[in-house]
Amino acid sequence: MDTVLLSDSAADIEKAAELIKNGQIVGIPTETVYGLGADASNEEAVRSIFAAKGRPADNPLIVHLADFSDAVNYTSGIPDLAFRLAERFCPGPLTIVLPKNDRIPMVTSGGLDTVGIRVPSHPVMHELIAVSGKPIAAPSANTSGYPSPTSAAHVMRDMNGKVAAVVDGGESQFGVESTVIAIESADTVRILRPGCVTREMLLEVCGDVIIDHAILNELAAGEKAASPGMKYKHYSPKADIIMVEGTIEAFTKFVSENEPEKTYSLIYNGDEKYFPYRFMTYGGDSLQQAHQLFSKLRELDDIGAEKVYVRAPSKDGVGLAVYNRLIRAAGFEVIRI
Ligand code: AMP
Ligand code: MG
């Protein structure tokens, strides 16, 4: 199939909406990362998303709506806390897991009786949902396991020939996928996947916010994942990624003793003045690191890096999302110095 590159003009969004209405899949910009969108209620279309990505069938897709009030059409019983969270964080990078109704097929939810609902703020994505009149199921638009795409060029790289079109809506604002939460009780939520809506932000609305064990820890063999995506090796470039946790002085000493001539390092902006070996930087604070992480991992592949030491990010605030992606990219290989 020929993949058409569309712009973010109203005429092109109309074309993309037509494709979605006709059961095709389209690469679409969102404020988190680029998604691979299709009509969430069309089983055949949803199956072709799984096929294009090579995604395991038990890894559920998030369903994107134009307004949170539409969630009543696809779920059964929305707790009051979900409405309060939506009031504060929708539209935006928050996904709320809710009990699904039968308008969401089991293929979409990866066999679960729940569905993750998100209301994206990106104007192109918002228009696409509104113009198509469809709930849009959209996982990240990367080949399964590879770093998520944050530009239309990344999507073209992974999906050219596999999808009907890609809409270019510019670089993704946040750069990491949405925060996924489950409602635990009347006043408590559990973060299943960290993102740019942080625990601290959720605490403005909730009495308590639990951080799921699987966010920072490898699941034991046979352990059930609350968030199925957390059980796979993920976000991983071809290069071997090793996280090294410590000050830039300790990091530099570590690299100096571990084949600096054969490796690259991914360090913070500002670290480079202390660092005499081959490097790339990925931002100076957590928001910048979230924004840049996936494109830097892709760039490291482009330059042929085989082994990369990453100076581990902070786990505070948005940093938890960056740490969570990197620890998976590293296959949980962390060296603490
Ligand atoms: P992606 O589509 O690549 O952004 O990944 C979406 C992730 O959100 C999945 O891998 C799951 O970990 C999580 N997720 C989506 N829907 C659900 C759900 N119904 N229950 C629990 N986690 C979910
Ligand atoms: Mg993904």
Side-chain angles (χ1 to χ4, degrees), residues 53 55 139-140 142 148 177 193 234-235:
K53 281 181 64 79
R55 182 175 174 107
S140 51
N142 51 297
S148 299
E177 303 84 348
R193 177 177 72 183
H234 224 137
Y235 315 117

Side-chain angles (χ1 to χ4, degrees), residues 15-330:
K15 280 185 204 158
E18 272 311 306
L19 290 169
I20 284 177
K21 280 200 272 187
N22 292 330
Q24 302 284 316
I25 53 179
V26 178
I28 43 189
T30 88
E31 70 277 20
T32 57
V33 301
Y34 271 69
L36 216 52
D39 176 356
S41 60
N42 179 334
E43 288 192 31
E44 216 38 59
V46 169
R47 279 206 184 86
S48 47
I49 294 181
F50 282 90
K53 281 181 64 79
R55 182 175 174 107
D58 66 350
N59 196 355
L61 307 186
I62 291 168
V63 172
H64 299 76
L65 303 175
D67 194 283
F68 191 77
S69 61
D70 299 337
V72 295
N73 297 319
Y74 304 102
T75 58
S76 61
I78 302 179
D80 179 59
L81 179 56
F83 285 110
R84 287 196 282 129
L85 287 160
E87 179 80 22
R88 169 74 175 78
F89 298 110
C90 296
L94 181 70
T95 298
I96 308 178
V97 173
L98 295 167
K100 76 171 196 71
N101 72 17
D102 56 17
R103 290 176 73 180
I104 299 296
M106 279 292 182
V107 253
T108 305
S109 66
L112 299 174
D113 51 15
T114 55
V115 60
I117 298 287
R118 184 161 101 79
V119 180
S121 65
H122 195 293
V124 172
M125 178 64 161
H126 184 270
E127 274 306 290
L128 251 176
I129 304 168
V131 174
S132 67
K134 300 289 185 190
I136 296 187
S140 51
N142 51 297
T143 301
S144 202
Y146 201 62
S148 299
T150 56
S151 70
H154 292 163
V155 182
M156 279 306 249
R157 182 74 77 87
D158 285 19
M159 294 296 154
N160 197 1
K162 296 184 175 177
V163 302
V166 174
V167 183
D168 189 346
E171 233 180 67
S172 301
Q173 178 193 348
F174 293 114
V176 290
E177 303 84 348
S178 60
T179 304
V180 178
I181 58 167
I183 309 283
E184 286 275 303
S185 69
D187 206 30
T188 304
V189 298
R190 175 184 296 269
I191 300 182
L192 302 179
R193 177 177 72 183
C196 285
V197 172
T198 62
R199 175 167 194 269
E200 294 69 27
M201 290 161 73
L202 291 165
L203 280 168
E204 292 168 23
V205 178
C206 304
D208 196 12
V209 176
I210 300 164
I211 301 211
D212 196 75
H213 174 77
I215 286 175
L216 291 177
N217 299 284
E218 194 166 15
L219 288 170
E223 192 181 342
K224 190 170 174 292
S227 174
M230 289 293 150
K231 69 184 180 206
Y232 300 108
K233 175 149 180 171
H234 224 137
Y235 315 117
S236 199
K238 292 190 205 86
D240 186 16
I241 301 289
I242 296 147
M243 277 231 278
V244 181
E245 209 163 336
T247 62
I248 184 58
E249 291 77 14
F251 182 92
T252 307
K253 181 165 180 290
F254 172 85
V255 174
S256 75
E257 292 162 357
N258 288 277
E259 305 187 299
E261 66 291 343
K262 289 193 189 158
T263 60
Y264 281 86
S265 291
L266 190 58
I267 55 180
Y268 301 1
N269 281 51
D271 284 351
E272 61 271 24
K273 51 182 175 288
Y274 308 101
F275 194 75
Y277 308 112
R278 293 194 297 193
F279 69 89
M280 246 185 230
T281 58
Y282 74 120
D285 62 35
S286 297
L287 263 180
Q288 288 174 7
Q289 290 178 347
H291 180 74
Q292 294 183 32
L293 177 67
F294 289 136
S295 66
K296 295 296 174 146
L297 292 178
R298 282 171 176 261
E299 265 181 60
L300 283 159
D301 273 355
D302 292 342
I303 61 174
E306 284 176 4
K307 190 169 185 177
V308 179
Y309 297 122
V310 182
R311 185 166 172 227
S314 150
K315 294 187 199 108
D316 295 336
V318 172
L320 185 65
V322 182
Y323 197 102
N324 166 269
R325 304 313 189 272
L326 267 169
I327 202 173
R328 282 175 171 71

